[in-house]
């Protein structure tokens, strides 16, 4: 299990340009804890983390920012 510091710093970078930052950080954190991976950059690059990429919310949309 990744330490929360890992997820925190990765998600901080991931969400640095997000419109709704707190929501981005929340979902990124959930995905990071489950997948132990956050894609690089602020957008896209999800092929680096198939688990993160493939997580869906209840509406079938991508859960992870």
């Amino acid at each position: 299990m990744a330490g929360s510091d890992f997820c925190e710093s990765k998600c901080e970078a991931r969400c640095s340009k997000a419109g709704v930052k707190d929501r981005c950080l929340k979902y990124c954190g959930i995905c990071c804890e489950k997948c132990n991976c956050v894609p690089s950059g602020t957008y896209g690059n999800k092929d680096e983390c198939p688990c993160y990429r493939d997580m869906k919310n209840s509406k079938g949309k991508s859960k992870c920012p």
Side-chain angles (χ1 to χ4, degrees):
M1 191 67 167
S4 59
D5 289 348
F6 170 83
C7 288
E8 215 169 281
S9 62
K10 288 284 208 182
C11 289
E12 191 64 46
R14 184 76 181 166
C15 295
S16 62
K17 294 184 177 149
V20 189
K21 191 167 183 183
D22 53 349
R23 203 172 82 187
C24 179
L25 288 169
K26 177 185 166 191
Y27 285 106
C28 179
I30 292 167
C31 296
C32 177
E33 286 191 12
K34 287 212 169 108
C35 297
N36 200 11
C37 181
V38 176
S40 61
T42 54
Y43 184 80
N45 301 321
K46 289 190 177 180
D47 290 342
E48 295 172 10
C49 299
C51 163
Y52 187 102
R53 178 192 69 207
D54 296 340
M55 276 179 79
K56 302 279 187 251
N57 64 20
S58 57
K59 296 183 181 112
K61 296 234 168 35
S62 180
K63 182 178 182 108
C64 310

